[in-house]
Amino acid sequence: MNPAYNNQPRRGRWPNPADTALDRARRVAGMYRARLRALDVDACDELDATAAAFGEDWMLDKPDIVDPDRELTTAQAAELINVPVQRIRNWACLDHPEQPGEPLLPRFKMRGRERTYLAGQVLAAAATMRRRQNTPG
């Protein structure tokens, strides 16, 4: 047994706790792709074309930057974090597990007959539920 293994540096925390393993893998692949593109545009284009020929063109899309103050309907909120609409409705009725007395997903306004939420609060609720899901016990 090597005692130096006990002195390994800690890994940094992933900056977006709502990311799935697939999201993380894609972000890391995007980082490598960006570096390759900076060093050799032709090689990057060639690899992009090869991947696209196999139907993998997700890396060619520009990532959406979500404005945290953007109003989302229930359906849009569900689409943003890839969950069923009913889950958004359920979260709006739950107390926040880490902040007692506060709602997990505060309702914002009404748009016609539809309830709206703020995108930042939807992402925060998803991160909270993911942390809760991954907490042992």
Side-chain angles (χ1 to χ4, degrees):
M1 182 174 238
N2 185 346
Y5 286 140
N6 292 334
N7 299 323
Q8 296 290 321
R10 289 197 147 176
R11 292 190 311 169
R13 294 192 61 113
W14 188 254
N16 187 353
D19 281 355
T20 64
L22 178 61
D23 295 329
R24 287 180 180 205
R26 285 188 172 181
R27 289 181 197 270
V28 170
M31 177 185 65
Y32 279 94
R33 181 179 176 274
R35 182 69 173 148
L36 173 61
R37 188 156 208 75
L39 296 174
D40 190 343
V41 173
D42 292 334
C44 186
D45 288 342
E46 182 182 333
L47 292 173
D48 285 347
T50 301
F54 288 108
E56 295 295 332
D57 58 359
W58 53 267
M59 71 286 194
L60 303 176
D61 296 334
K62 296 194 188 280
D64 289 334
I65 297 174
V66 178
D67 177 6
D69 295 326
R70 182 174 156 212
E71 287 183 46
L72 303 173
T73 64
T74 306
Q76 291 169 329
E79 184 178 337
L80 174 65
I81 58 172
N82 197 26
V83 298
V85 170
Q86 188 58 44
R87 187 162 307 159
I88 298 297
R89 291 184 181 121
N90 291 344
W91 287 357
C93 297
L94 290 176
D95 283 339
H96 197 291
E98 298 167 357
Q99 300 168 2
E102 297 289 323
L104 174 61
L105 180 57
R107 295 176 178 104
F108 186 60
K109 293 181 182 177
M110 296 292 287
R111 185 184 301 163
R113 295 181 59 186
E114 293 190 71
R115 176 68 62 193
T116 63
Y117 306 89
L118 293 177
Q121 292 175 336
V122 172
L123 293 171
T128 297
M129 294 308 283
R130 188 156 284 134
R131 276 193 307 272
R132 187 172 174 213
Q133 199 172 31
N134 294 329
T135 302

